[in-house]
Amino acid sequence: MKILMVCLGNICRSPLAHGILGAMAKAKGLNWTVESAGTSNWHVGHAPDSRSVRAAKKLGYDISSQRGRHFIAAFFDEYDHILVMDRSNFRAVISLATNHQQKAKVELFLADDEVEDPYYDDLLFDPVAQQIEKRCAQLIDKFSK
Ligand code: 4NP
């Protein structure tokens, strides 16, 4: 199983989901690959935002070795599930899909809600990390059935 987490910059939200679901899957002995990317190329090669690194650390996860990547259309065939943090980035990903099979792989990470972009609000990082951790536990059940 290969799962891709996507947000805008790939430095705040998707690195949290990448690190947390990856660690949970590993702890469960699941042979999953969890990775992440951004719909923008602004932070390619950059480490996650220090505020996300700190929020992850508080919950017991180390995301500091991740590096930013840009979402490319080749990822549609590489991953089984592409989970996107908000509707704007969902549209950006879907716009690159060329067939129904590719579109069907794309879902909102929270299914029917958005993970708010914490980039301009320091106080959002801890609640966003907690929201992402809670959803990751649900995703373990959802995708291991
Ligand atoms: P992310 O947050 O999409 O969760 O990684 C952002 C990161 C960077 C910017 C915006 C959102 N930015 O404008 O550079």
Side-chain angles (χ1 to χ4, degrees):
M1 172 90 76
K2 289 195 77 173
I3 298 171
L4 183 70
M5 303 296 187
V6 178
C7 61
L8 177 60
N10 192 210
I11 55 165
C12 297
R13 293 164 291 178
S14 59
L16 286 164
H18 166 174
I20 294 172
L21 188 66
M24 283 182 178
K26 195 175 174 195
K28 291 258 181 192
L30 296 165
N31 186 26
W32 293 5
T33 298
V34 184
E35 292 171 335
S36 60
T39 59
S40 79
N41 64 2
W42 305 333
H43 298 287
V44 169
H46 297 183
D49 188 297
S50 59
R51 297 166 295 177
S52 278
V53 173
R54 206 173 309 120
K57 200 172 177 186
K58 283 190 203 171
L59 299 176
Y61 306 92
D62 180 4
I63 65 167
S64 63
S65 63
Q66 293 181 29
R67 292 297 177 266
R69 299 192 307 161
H70 188 201
F71 182 87
I72 54 168
F75 290 168
F76 284 116
D77 298 321
E78 187 176 333
Y79 294 93
D80 302 300
H81 299 281
I82 297 169
L83 305 183
V84 190
M85 294 295 149
D86 59 35
R87 292 189 173 89
S88 152
N89 287 293
F90 182 95
R91 286 191 295 273
V93 169
I94 284 286
S95 74
L96 297 172
T98 52
N99 60 51
H100 175 74
Q101 203 185 348
Q102 293 183 347
K103 285 182 189 164
K105 292 183 177 184
V106 188
E107 295 174 55
L108 278 178
F109 174 78
L110 291 178
D112 54 9
D113 201 359
E114 306 186 297
V115 180
E116 197 174 342
D117 181 356
Y119 190 67
Y120 296 103
D121 186 349
D122 293 350
L123 296 178
L124 278 179
F125 281 83
D126 285 327
V128 158
Q130 287 161 23
Q131 180 183 42
I132 287 174
E133 185 185 40
K134 187 173 161 207
R135 179 59 177 159
C136 285
Q138 295 172 354
L139 291 174
I140 290 283
D141 290 339
K142 173 177 156 113
F143 292 132
S144 57
K145 275 186 185 132

